[in-house]
Amino acid sequence: MEDNKSFGEVDQKDVELAAAAAPDDLKEPEKVSMKDELLDWLESFVFAMFIVILVFTFVFRIVLVQGDSMNDTLENENRLIISHLNYTPEKGDIVVLDANTDSFHKTIIKRVIGTGGDKVVINYNDNTITVNDKVLDDTHKKGVMIDSGYFDREYMIADGVYEYNVPEGKIFVMGDNRNNSTDSRRLGFIDNDMVLGKVVLRLFPFNEFGRV
């Protein structure tokens, strides 16, 4: 049968069939409404906030330094991030701990000097700390240590010399500002379970942002 369509004429049905057969990337994209875009953005935001909350609940915390016991390493009003996930205290770490004794109830921040099994000797006469018979590279401490007379005399082995044998499961801590710090010299050994986390980052002031 002879085709009656003249040159240049296109059957509407042919157009529809051609459109249906066209590749997806040649089809006109579907328009997304403002409402759908807003809902997608809101969903992403809520998910991101949920992740942040989980991280700062189970992995990190933000803490505020109050006091001068860690000068010059840390200053009053510094804001820090601490990590407490599967953490075991190690010598040299700066930690936040819940120091609760009969006469002292406070959250404090100190440096770990000794862990379970260590022998810590503080000699105020020559301004040294020895851990397991090795002199501590104590470049963090501020000034010359002074035997103020407020420390537990139970541990004095000579005039101006104190020896602490750290029990297993406990730590011995001191502030870097040794002459202005309430630490294990007065509070005694701290249970590992009382450690809330290790300082990993200084968050504020912003010009000092970075690892501690």
Side-chain angles (χ1 to χ4, degrees):
M1 180 181 296
E2 184 179 352
D3 191 350
N4 294 323
K5 289 186 291 185
S6 62
F7 180 76
E9 291 183 343
V10 179
D11 191 293
Q12 180 63 32
K13 185 177 294 186
D14 293 338
V15 173
E16 292 174 356
L17 290 174
D24 291 340
D25 57 354
L26 296 180
K27 295 180 181 179
E28 183 178 351
E30 296 182 6
K31 293 183 178 180
V32 179
S33 68
M34 182 66 70
K35 180 180 179 181
D36 289 338
E37 288 185 357
L38 183 60
L39 287 175
D40 287 343
W41 181 87
L42 184 60
E43 182 181 276
S44 299
F45 177 78
V46 171
F47 180 75
M49 290 302 297
F50 177 71
I51 295 298
V52 169
I53 291 171
L54 282 181
V55 167
F56 279 92
T57 299
F58 297 103
V59 182
F60 299 108
R61 297 180 185 176
I62 297 177
V63 298
L64 173 68
V65 177
Q66 293 182 311
D68 302 316
S69 70
M70 285 298 292
N71 291 1
D72 291 321
T73 306
L74 301 173
E75 303 290 341
N76 187 45
E77 299 297 322
N78 279 181
R79 285 170 174 78
L80 313 170
I81 292 180
I82 66 172
S83 174
H84 54 91
L85 182 65
N86 296 325
Y87 172 66
T88 300
E90 296 182 3
K91 288 186 283 290
D93 289 349
I94 299 176
V95 296
V96 174
L97 48 94
D98 187 8
N100 284 318
T101 67
D102 293 339
S103 59
F104 189 87
H105 303 277
K106 194 174 181 180
T107 299
I108 59 177
I109 180 167
K110 305 294 174 185
R111 187 181 297 275
V112 178
I113 302 298
T115 58
D118 288 338
K119 180 178 73 173
V120 177
V121 177
I122 303 176
N123 190 328
Y124 293 93
N125 301 318
D126 60 12
N127 194 39
T128 62
I129 296 177
T130 302
V131 181
N132 300 329
D133 300 323
K134 294 182 179 179
V135 177
L136 186 68
D137 182 12
D138 206 18
T139 55
H140 302 287
K141 75 171 179 288
K142 179 179 181 178
V144 176
M145 295 186 299
I146 298 172
D147 184 0
S148 64
Y150 290 106
F151 309 132
D152 193 338
R153 299 292 169 172
E154 174 188 349
Y155 299 98
M156 180 185 285
I157 59 174
D159 187 29
V161 182
Y162 296 74
E163 181 179 301
Y164 306 87
N165 292 290
V166 186
E168 293 295 338
K170 296 181 181 292
I171 57 176
F172 185 90
V173 299
M174 298 177 70
D176 287 356
N177 188 0
R178 302 288 158 74
N179 298 323
N180 186 23
S181 174
T182 301
D183 48 44
S184 286
R185 292 171 294 175
R186 295 184 62 186
L187 302 176
F189 307 111
I190 306 295
D191 290 338
N192 287 353
D193 293 341
M194 306 306 288
V195 177
L196 303 179
K198 171 188 175 181
V199 175
V200 294
L201 197 70
R202 190 194 329 256
L203 196 61
F204 181 86
F206 298 123
N207 63 329
E208 297 181 19
F209 176 86
R211 296 183 63 86
V212 176

